[in-house]
Amino acid sequence: MSRGNLFLAGLLWIVIAILVIYPLSFLVIESFKISGSDNFGISNYIEFFKDAYYLKTFANTLALSAAVLITTTIFGVPLAYILARYRQRGKTILTALTLLPIVLPAFAGVFAFIIFFGKYGTLNLVLMEIGLIEKPVNFIYGFHGLVFIQSLHMLPFIVLSLSAGFTNIDPSFEEAAEVEGASGFWRFITVSLPLCAPTYLAGGVIVFLWPFTDWLTPLILGQVDFLPSVAYINIAYHFTDLHRKYMGIVAVVVSSVVCIFLFLLARRWVEKRKYTGLSKGTTSEGRIIEPGPVMKIWAYIYMIFIAVLVLLIPIVLGLSSFSRRWVFEPLPTYWTLDNYRVILTETPLLIKNSFLFSGVALAFGVIFGLPAAYIIVRTKVPGKNALDFIITLMLAFPGMAVGVSYLLAFWENIPLATHWIIMPLALFARRLPYFLRMAHSSYLQLDISLEEASEVSGAGKIRTFMSISLPLLLKGVLVGVVMFFIMAFQEISTAIFLYRGGWETMPIGIYLNWHRGMEFGIAAAMAFLMIVITFVLLLIISRVSGNVLRAAWGSDNK
């Protein structure tokens, strides 16, 4: 074990201690503080679990999580199977459309669906005009609307995880089932699907945890009786009522604990149930099935159906962005470029901040992520698994928890919160797992003998990394870079607690325009611009990722 590896691991741990462990510990400590005194105790937690309203919000959030998981599973299983097993024209663009919701701000979809499915939205107005209905139908407001919007947003996690599972199944298992007489649907139910259980759970747990982190979607739909929404309201709007503030912090901690517990439980279950085939017949593309004409048509219909739902978001926001008013009309009738003039000439700072903060966070992520992936995969340094565990655990922390903890930890003793650097640092801590998973997966796919041959030839570790490892890791690194940037670019849950005047990003600008009741066209223009940027980057991921993206989110990602 070289001193260089130990020194590098030590530096990585220092960064994690300062930017992850230290601020989150402040959040926990603050939750035990008793309002109106300098004392600490568990009275806040006792009150939380004795209060019927807080218990109701907790139960509502659990019910929403279960409904979202069931819905994404029902729609995600056939979609993942089609994308993994069928070789069809247009598959790249359909895959990109399927993955698009995961990297879009969830609230952008809410705004679009309110315009289209709202009480006097496009769909209701069209149905009333043609005489199919007399009164508007409630398509979107209520629990069912929350399930629909959050399920569409989280569908890519299920699709990615199951696609990885279907691709990695040893063909000999399914072939053996076919020899025994099982084929088609029965083979899928009894062989293929059970073998994908570990990878399904890897994505399913992230889907289940999302309602415990999403505070904005319920607020926009007027549904506040959910744990993250109540936490946000208590912290953001009751800063003069210290008791309400502390109860909001308790709600954040409770949400975080639930997320961490379920994440750890799922991880442990996945690690115990890994299936390894003895055959070497699996290719990187997996087993390809040529569907019959009827099945191929149905597959296209299903993929197009999902794609249309996804495309409603950019289409509706795009139309809104070129209109100053869209009220009681199926389509806007007044068109203008003023919205883009405003955001490009009067508020260019939001665009600049989004790229600056995301770019700086990305630089931190690459500088930290590549050495971290190397330590985790290529060395036997003590504590490497713990390092991987803590970084990956950030996936389970609600963005609100990160934002509040940074505000508490870096305000007085270490006054970073008074400087703009706090924004990229928080984005770095929040989104680091996305880059690390890609770099980790790329290292696993890189044959170590190539690096060993270079070192045997006299090249040092740095030269070996620059001349051998990095060029071979480039595809995975590029995917990680793009994925990290996209996720940092659209982050709001963390940034909303940290921004000050002049630090607003595009997601914050969208939220503020909605919250202040200003013209929606400007917010729509910002959202549409974000969608265009994101979709271009997502096409790059879809084109260059190969199986890197699926491997990163499969079950075997220790």
Side-chain angles (χ1 to χ4, degrees):
M1 188 182 306
S2 70
R3 291 183 179 180
N5 289 341
L6 287 173
F7 178 75
L8 180 58
L11 288 178
L12 297 177
W13 270 112
I14 290 173
V15 174
I16 290 297
I18 295 174
L19 297 182
V20 176
I21 299 174
Y22 173 74
L24 291 176
S25 66
F26 263 77
L27 180 69
V28 176
I29 293 171
E30 194 76 5
S31 69
F32 289 99
K33 195 170 184 179
I34 299 174
S35 62
S37 71
D38 295 327
N39 300 324
F40 293 85
I42 61 172
S43 59
N44 292 333
Y45 286 93
I46 293 175
E47 181 179 345
F48 179 89
F49 287 105
K50 289 177 68 176
D51 191 304
Y53 178 70
Y54 286 118
L55 291 178
K56 174 187 174 183
T57 62
F58 186 74
N60 288 347
T61 310
L62 279 175
L64 180 60
S65 293
V68 170
L69 179 60
I70 292 170
T71 305
T72 53
T73 300
I74 292 173
F75 286 91
V77 169
L79 184 60
Y81 189 82
I82 291 170
L83 294 176
R85 291 297 173 83
Y86 296 170
R87 187 182 288 129
Q88 295 177 292
R89 293 183 181 275
K91 185 174 174 179
T92 298
I93 188 69
L94 289 171
T95 301
L97 287 173
T98 301
L99 300 181
L100 184 60
I102 199 177
V103 291
L104 291 181
F107 56 86
V110 185
F111 292 141
F113 289 131
I114 286 176
I115 293 173
F116 190 83
F117 292 111
K119 187 176 181 180
Y120 288 99
T122 299
L123 183 59
N124 269 317
L125 290 174
V126 169
L127 293 177
M128 286 190 291
E129 282 186 6
I130 62 178
L132 288 181
I133 60 174
E134 294 182 0
K135 297 187 297 183
V137 177
N138 181 15
F139 289 112
I140 201 71
Y141 291 101
F143 186 83
H144 62 287
L146 272 176
V147 173
F148 166 66
I149 291 173
Q150 292 192 346
S151 297
L152 186 64
H153 181 66
M154 299 307 291
L155 183 64
F157 278 109
I158 293 293
V159 173
L160 278 173
S161 300
L162 283 173
S163 294
F166 289 133
T167 300
N168 294 331
I169 290 177
D170 191 325
S172 62
F173 290 136
E174 295 180 333
E175 291 166 359
E178 291 170 357
V179 169
E180 294 295 324
S183 60
F185 183 74
W186 185 247
R187 181 202 66 221
F188 174 78
I189 293 295
T190 58
V191 178
S192 305
L193 203 54
L195 290 174
C196 289
T199 53
Y200 164 75
L201 193 59
V205 69
I206 297 177
V207 173
F208 188 85
L209 297 181
W210 175 249
F212 280 92
T213 68
D214 182 17
W215 55 272
L216 186 51
T217 302
L219 283 183
I220 296 174
L221 292 178
Q223 307 290 313
V224 298
D225 294 340
F226 294 91
L227 202 55
S229 301
V230 169
Y232 174 77
I233 291 172
N234 281 359
I235 295 172
Y237 293 102
H238 295 281
F239 50 86
T240 57
D241 185 342
L242 291 181
H243 180 68
R244 290 286 297 272
K245 187 191 80 169
Y246 288 130
M247 292 306 293
I249 292 174
V250 168
V252 173
V253 173
V254 170
S255 295
S256 302
V257 170
V258 170
C259 291
I260 293 169
F261 173 76
L262 293 175
F263 184 83
L264 295 179
L265 188 66
R267 183 184 176 102
R268 182 174 178 81
W269 191 92
V270 166
E271 289 173 351
K272 285 186 174 181
R273 287 165 173 80
K274 292 180 181 177
Y275 304 101
T276 303
L278 299 177
S279 170
K280 299 298 182 183
T282 306
T283 65
S284 61
E285 194 178 13
R287 188 186 188 197
I288 297 298
I289 296 175
E290 186 62 38
V294 176
M295 185 59 67
K296 181 176 288 190
I297 291 173
W298 277 111
Y300 270 118
I301 291 174
Y302 189 73
M303 287 192 295
I304 291 172
F305 168 71
I306 299 295
V308 167
L309 286 179
V310 174
L311 280 173
L312 277 177
I313 299 173
I315 290 174
V316 171
L317 290 177
L319 291 174
S320 300
S321 71
F322 290 102
S323 172
R324 290 303 291 262
R325 57 177 181 267
W326 186 353
V327 183
F328 299 111
E329 297 174 315
L331 292 172
T333 56
Y334 179 82
W335 304 97
T336 181
L337 293 174
D338 284 350
N339 298 322
Y340 286 97
R341 181 188 59 78
V342 170
I343 65 173
L344 293 176
T345 61
E346 297 181 17
T347 59
L349 187 63
L350 275 65
I351 301 174
K352 175 188 173 183
N353 286 342
S354 293
F355 279 97
L356 174 63
F357 296 158
S358 301
V360 174
L362 174 61
F364 291 155
V366 173
I367 293 171
F368 181 94
L370 282 176
Y374 169 79
I375 290 293
I376 293 166
V377 178
R378 288 288 190 258
T379 72
K380 297 182 179 180
V381 172
K384 68 168 189 172
N385 291 332
L387 181 69
D388 183 26
F389 172 75
I390 290 177
I391 296 173
T392 305
L393 198 61
M394 291 302 291
L395 286 171
F397 271 100
M400 192 187 309
V402 178
V404 174
S405 66
Y406 265 59
L407 190 61
L408 294 171
F410 298 119
W411 186 257
E412 293 182 356
N413 297 330
I414 307 177
L416 287 176
T418 59
H419 303 281
W420 68 267
I421 195 65
I422 193 68
M423 297 287 281
L425 285 176
L427 295 178
F428 159 74
R430 172 87 168 113
R431 298 306 187 182
L432 178 60
Y434 289 90
F435 180 82
L436 181 66
R437 294 262 57 86
M438 305 304 167
H440 182 281
S441 175
S442 298
Y443 259 116
L444 289 176
Q445 295 177 0
L446 175 61
D447 192 341
I448 193 173
S449 63
L450 298 173
E451 296 171 320
E452 292 172 343
S454 175
E455 293 179 14
V456 168
S457 300
K461 289 187 177 296
I462 295 179
R463 184 178 178 186
T464 296
F465 174 79
M466 298 302 297
S467 59
I468 302 295
S469 304
L470 186 58
L472 296 174
L473 294 171
L474 202 55
K475 178 192 286 188
V477 169
L478 178 60
V479 174
V481 164
V482 175
M483 193 71 177
F484 183 104
F485 183 85
I486 289 174
M487 301 307 291
F489 194 74
Q490 57 93 45
E491 174 65 30
I492 186 173
S493 294
T494 298
I496 197 70
F497 290 96
L498 298 173
Y499 86 95
R500 304 176 74 182
W503 298 356
E504 295 90 345
T505 60
M506 291 179 70
I508 293 174
I510 296 169
Y511 169 72
L512 292 178
N513 273 279
W514 164 76
H515 188 263
R516 294 168 181 168
M518 299 173 69
E519 293 189 35
F520 179 69
I522 297 174
M526 292 181 188
F528 187 68
L529 186 59
M530 287 186 65
I531 288 173
V532 171
I533 295 170
T534 300
F535 189 67
V536 171
L537 294 175
L538 195 60
L539 280 177
I540 295 174
I541 289 182
S542 182
R543 176 63 65 179
V544 307
S545 66
N547 65 340
V548 172
L549 200 57
R550 287 198 298 258
W553 298 103
S555 64
D556 193 12
N557 53 15
K558 289 179 64 179

